[in-house]
Amino acid sequence: MPALLDHRLIFVTGKGGVGKTTIARGLGLLGAQQGRRVIIAELTPTCPEGGIAEIELDENLFFIAVDPQAAMEEYLRIKGGAVGSVLAHSRLFATLAMATPGLRELLGMGKIWELAQLERRTRDGDAYDLVVVDAPATGHGVAALRTPRVFADTARVGPIAAHAAAIATTIAEPDFTAVVAVTVAEEMPVRETLSLADTLADDGLQLDAVVLNQHRAARFSAEEDEQIAAALAARSPIRPGDAVAGALSAARSARARAEAQREHADALTARFGDRLVRVPALSDDPEGLAPAVAHALVKGL
Amino acid sequence: MNVPELLAGRRICVCAGSGGVGKTTTSAVIGLGMAARGLRVCVITIDPARRLATALGLNELSNEPRRVDVARWRTGLTPGTGDPPGTAADVEPAAGELWAMMLDPKQTFDDLIDAAAPTVERAAAIKANGIYRQLSSAVAGSQEFTAVSKLYELAQSDRFDLLVLDTPPARNALDFLEAPQRLTGFLDGRALQALARPTGLGVRLLGVGAAPLLSGLKRITGLDLVSDITTFLGLLGPMAETFGHRARAVEALLRSPETAFLLIASAQAGSIDEAVWFAESLERRQLPFSGVIVNRFHHDLVGPTPLGDLEAALTAALGGDTDLAVRVAETMAAYHALAVRDDAELDRLRTRLGEVPLLAVPQFDAEITDVSGLARIHAYLFGSEAERAALIATLTA
Ligand SMILES: Nc1ncnc2c1ncn2[C@@H]1O[C@H](COP(=O)(O)OP(=O)(O)OP(=O)(O)O)[C@@H](O)[C@H]1O
Ligand SMILES: Nc1ncnc2c1ncn2[C@@H]1O[C@H](COP(=O)(O)OP(=O)(O)OP(=O)(O)O)[C@@H](O)[C@H]1O
Ligand SMILES: [Mg+2]
Ligand SMILES: [Mg+2]
């Protein structure tokens, strides 16, 4: 089993808003810092803006937003020959294809797969050592992971079935593809992570790492909390703008929040053991966040 | 401005927002608060946290609203024992009723088919079809589609004065409008029907021969799938149009001045852009945008304090424990940084959105899993400007 960053494809999923994009960027940056040629691919369930260009973010670090429609057009041009380019420009065909259950997900995954090939199919496409997929939230993310298999089974003939089967095989290859779940220590995200692990297991896949994001380590013991509470009580009635009281109550809050997280963090540790990586809540500006996350990840991986 | 003012004269309140911002929690609070003001309210929730569902007395998915038992609202509450203002008594309904349902997308979909199919046999055939099974249980779209469907259905009756719609987790706040459209586009099946009848208008209009399209489709998807889809649409037959009609009726309902769209947002980076984009998108669709609730807000409690001074003062307050004082001061500095960020974001939001009402709800220390938690949020959403200011002042203590 290779180390996480030595996979060719890392699929990052998790409940909405838990930090998938942030962790995907952190992983991508870390991979690039270690000398890999990395692309972060945002796999969007909807397509606000079209386009499928590979953008250079930094040395060795690229970004692509995978729009299923653009992915389809590209696929048609490469595979479909003359008919393909007619289809690529047909609005009717696009509507049809986009509405066909699962086809959007399949096309997105097809593009991801293409990015991860050493022999790229697109003209002047250079190979990447690592593709980090910023996948949609759990439900959609699992759908995307599963679609190739489902398609390969449903559409038994034709090139897409063969293509879907190839993608499905790649996804199921543990040395090639890794799946990372991001979560925060709250009831719903943790529950989703646990059930994600079960769902993947049913498909013969596993979670290679679970990132506990926005983790708040306990900074105050129970005794210290009492000490702080007593000091706060001694200042009562609190006059407005009392900075000491403000600091004391902020400390009590921080402890309460860390305590509230503990039960959930324990459940994750029990299930995932050393596959669990903690990334603290970093109150950085957006630019500083990715390096800080990369730094936190390097310690945890 | 507060929620009752925002919702005056409205029959539908849609709580939209990106994943995990607090849509389900806020919907429950709004339902509770409006029922307490004497309305018959129904909250359509989607996948609530188990403890919150239990607190509302909802233990399983159901497709029919259930009356929320008022006695349950008091569990976890100890009235008169130093609860913060705006808790127990404030959320007990006077003459109002609170109803809630946890949406079951698959069942709602099946019900739709049962209602629209001409015969029981036809309904059974559709429900057994592979494409239907995929559609009705696919994550992408089925929750959104059935949620607005249910909303429409409940709006047709006079059972409720107000319907509060929680929206499914999504990457962006408009997904729940777009996903049903995609699904209806498919069910409505015009594109596919045009293909099935190669001389159909659609094909000719686009100036593309049907033969290459059909063979292209085969090439792309494999034959079996195409025939599955054709069978499915054949089964649906004229029912497909029913879905189209319904979709248009839902659009009209959402557009009506009796509907209010609330955006639930966090104060974290990116929420401004999202809110502005949401406002513009609603406007483009002529949908009524009524306000933003900025959830999990960090209030600046005391303003900036030089760290050195604070450490000294804290050391004194903590009986000379310097080590503890330093850590308390650091915690305060971290909190303060968040508060400054949130404040700046709120200001930017105010500037960008202009007249749109904005309400902030603080970040609480624990998850909101019971009625007393909901009551705490209630105080911020339903109180007057002055009451809110008083509450924020007590956050320090
Ligand atoms: N460890 C962290 N420390 C501080 N802020 C963080 C951290 N992780 C994420 N955030 C912030 O939390 C917010 C949500 O994170 P992010 O966008 O990565 O989540 P996501 O899971 O990709 O969301 P979505 O489901 O909407 O795509 C962002 O504002 C991000 O800056
Ligand atoms: N003001 C708050 N303070 C502290 N915790 C909160 C607050 N508001 C919501 N939460 C907590 O945040 C979590 C997410 O809230 P909620 O489930 O309402 O979000 P949502 O937008 O419905 O999420 P999803 O997109 O997954 O449906 C819950 O654990 C809830 O208890
Ligand atoms: Mg994201
Ligand atoms: Mg929710």
Side-chain angles (χ1 to χ4, degrees):
Chain A
M1 190 70 190
L4 183 64
L5 289 170
D6 290 332
H7 289 83
R8 185 78 56 69
L9 188 60
I10 303 180
F11 203 84
V12 182
T13 186
K15 197 163 167 50
V18 293
K20 296 178 293 298
T21 302
T22 306
I23 298 302
R25 300 236 159 116
L27 282 170
L29 182 63
L30 188 57
Q33 284 168 348
Q34 295 176 351
R36 294 176 188 80
R37 191 164 185 273
V38 182
I39 187 159
I40 299 166
E42 189 181 12
L43 190 56
T44 43
T46 54
C47 39
E49 257 99 63
I52 194 155
E54 293 158 43
I55 303 159
E56 183 159 9
L57 294 179
D58 211 334
E59 200 190 340
N60 275 338
L61 188 60
F62 297 79
F63 175 81
I64 183 171
V66 178
D67 168 18
Q69 174 114 21
M72 180 183 76
E73 285 165 18
E74 185 183 277
Y75 178 79
L76 289 171
R77 274 196 308 275
I78 296 171
K79 291 286 274 187
V83 174
S85 18
V86 174
L87 289 178
H89 290 104
S90 159
R91 283 251 303 286
L92 176 60
F93 183 77
T95 314
L96 184 65
M98 287 299 116
T100 304
L103 199 53
R104 294 166 61 84
E105 285 88 357
L106 182 67
L107 290 162
M109 284 305 287
K111 180 62 195 177
I112 299 291
W113 178 85
E114 194 272 326
L115 288 167
Q117 298 306 301
L118 290 180
E119 293 274 321
R120 296 282 308 277
R121 299 188 163 199
T122 43
R123 240 177 295 134
D124 32 270
D126 283 326
Y128 293 101
D129 301 311
L130 172 63
V131 182
V132 181
V133 185
D134 178 4
T138 323
H140 295 87
V142 173
L145 270 176
R146 272 192 169 162
T147 304
R149 176 82 295 146
V150 171
F151 246 91
D153 294 347
T154 336
R156 281 169 293 270
V157 293
I160 205 158
H163 188 47
I167 300 173
T169 309
T170 306
I171 290 173
E173 178 60 61
D175 289 346
F176 192 98
T177 306
V179 183
V180 173
V182 183
T183 185
V184 291
E186 285 175 6
E187 180 190 344
M188 291 297 274
V190 167
R191 225 170 79 196
E192 277 208 21
T193 307
L194 296 174
S195 78
L196 173 66
D198 295 339
T199 311
L200 289 177
D202 289 344
D203 287 4
L205 299 171
Q206 72 148 347
L207 284 175
D208 296 80
V210 174
V211 176
L212 172 50
N213 192 26
Q214 310 252 25
H215 177 246
R216 289 161 201 281
R219 298 203 69 198
F220 306 104
S221 68
E223 294 76 48
E224 286 169 338
D225 189 47
E226 272 171 32
Q227 212 180 326
I228 294 168
L232 191 57
R235 300 182 79 82
S236 181
I238 292 156
R239 76 189 152 70
D242 180 342
V244 169
L248 292 170
S249 66
R252 294 215 71 200
S253 265
R255 173 169 158 86
R257 288 179 73 180
E259 282 298 301
Q261 289 200 345
R262 203 170 60 180
E263 168 197 347
H264 300 303
D266 287 350
L268 290 170
T269 311
R271 174 72 178 263
F272 299 109
D274 56 11
R275 278 181 291 157
L276 187 68
V277 182
R278 291 177 173 79
V279 172
L282 304 154
S283 60
D284 262 304
D285 62 305
E287 271 87 81
L289 194 55
V293 168
H295 185 71
L297 285 168
V298 90
K299 284 194 285 183
L301 286 175
Chain B
M1 186 53 72
N2 58 20
V3 166
E5 283 167 39
L6 281 180
L7 295 183
R10 312 290 179 122
R11 285 191 59 218
I12 292 175
C13 169
V14 181
C15 296
S18 57
V21 289
K23 298 178 291 295
T24 303
T25 311
T26 308
S27 307
V29 173
I30 292 177
L32 223 56
M34 294 305 278
R37 293 183 179 226
L39 299 189
R40 293 170 306 158
V41 186
C42 179
V43 185
I44 305 169
T45 70
I46 292 156
D47 207 11
R50 193 180 296 147
R51 280 184 276 189
L52 178 63
T54 309
L56 290 172
L58 295 170
N59 284 320
E60 57 204 57
L61 296 176
S62 72
N63 260 333
E64 279 309 308
R66 303 226 176 116
R67 179 96 184 248
V68 177
D69 179 5
V70 178
R72 279 177 176 279
W73 296 13
R74 298 203 192 87
T75 49
L77 284 183
T78 40
T81 53
D83 273 338
T87 53
D90 282 4
V91 292
E92 278 180 38
E97 294 173 12
L98 180 63
W99 295 69
M101 55 171 283
M102 247 198 284
L103 186 76
D104 179 345
K106 174 86 176 101
Q107 187 60 45
T108 306
F109 229 124
D110 287 353
D111 291 350
L112 276 174
I113 297 291
D114 286 337
T119 63
V120 180
E121 291 73 30
R122 178 71 68 89
I126 292 173
K127 286 191 271 180
N129 181 276
I131 296 286
Y132 172 75
R133 286 215 303 271
Q134 224 186 318
L135 270 184
S136 61
S137 54
V139 251
S142 72
Q143 272 184 331
E144 287 87 349
F145 178 76
T146 50
V148 289
S149 254
K150 199 73 205 176
L151 180 75
Y152 175 71
E153 193 185 308
L154 292 175
Q156 295 313 100
S157 85
D158 281 333
R159 284 171 72 191
F160 303 107
D161 305 312
L162 177 69
L163 298 169
V164 183
L165 179 67
D166 173 21
T167 55
R171 263 209 82 243
N172 76 57
L174 275 187
D175 228 27
F176 86 98
L177 286 177
E178 280 159 6
Q181 282 170 359
R182 276 203 296 276
L183 197 56
T184 323
F186 180 77
L187 290 175
D188 207 3
R190 269 179 229 161
L192 284 168
Q193 276 157 11
L195 279 178
R197 285 178 279 111
T199 49
L201 192 60
V203 177
R204 233 189 289 131
L205 266 183
L206 284 155
V208 180
L213 262 183
L214 265 178
S215 74
L217 191 66
K218 282 179 192 167
R219 192 187 279 249
I220 295 301
T221 60
L223 261 175
D224 290 5
L225 193 69
V226 174
S227 71
D228 275 1
I229 293 176
T230 318
T231 314
F232 174 58
L233 290 170
L235 280 171
L236 270 189
M239 286 171 64
E241 253 163 69
T242 318
F243 284 106
H245 282 307
R246 198 178 175 114
R248 283 182 285 280
V250 168
E251 280 272 335
L253 176 70
L254 292 177
R255 234 170 241 160
S256 99
E258 293 187 326
T259 300
F261 279 83
L262 294 182
L263 177 69
I264 321 299
S266 73
Q268 282 176 330
S271 78
I272 308 286
D273 296 337
E274 187 194 356
V276 172
W277 176 78
F278 183 74
E280 287 168 358
S281 307
L282 286 185
E283 197 173 323
R284 216 176 321 117
R285 291 156 185 261
Q286 298 168 295
L287 294 165
F289 182 37
S290 308
V292 183
I293 293 174
V294 181
N295 192 22
R296 312 189 93 164
F297 188 81
H298 298 85
H299 287 279
D300 190 358
L301 301 177
V302 289
T305 320
L307 200 58
D309 298 358
L310 185 59
E311 277 174 14
L314 278 168
T315 307
L318 289 164
D321 191 337
T322 320
D323 166 58
L324 183 57
V326 168
R327 277 181 292 136
V328 170
E330 280 167 6
T331 306
M332 179 62 179
Y335 180 90
H336 190 249
L338 284 178
V340 168
R341 177 200 72 181
D342 287 6
D343 220 38
E345 290 289 296
L346 195 64
D347 267 353
R348 288 214 295 140
L349 198 55
R350 245 189 220 111
T351 319
R352 291 290 299 275
L353 290 179
E355 295 299 293
V356 179
L358 277 180
L359 295 170
V361 172
Q363 164 72 50
F364 293 108
D365 292 343
E367 288 181 62
I368 309 297
T369 54
D370 57 13
V371 178
S372 67
L374 296 177
R376 236 170 282 141
I377 295 184
H378 172 268
Y380 287 86
L381 294 181
F382 284 72
S384 67
E385 210 80 47
E387 284 165 334
R388 268 205 300 278
L391 272 178
I392 293 167
T394 66
L395 281 175
T396 330

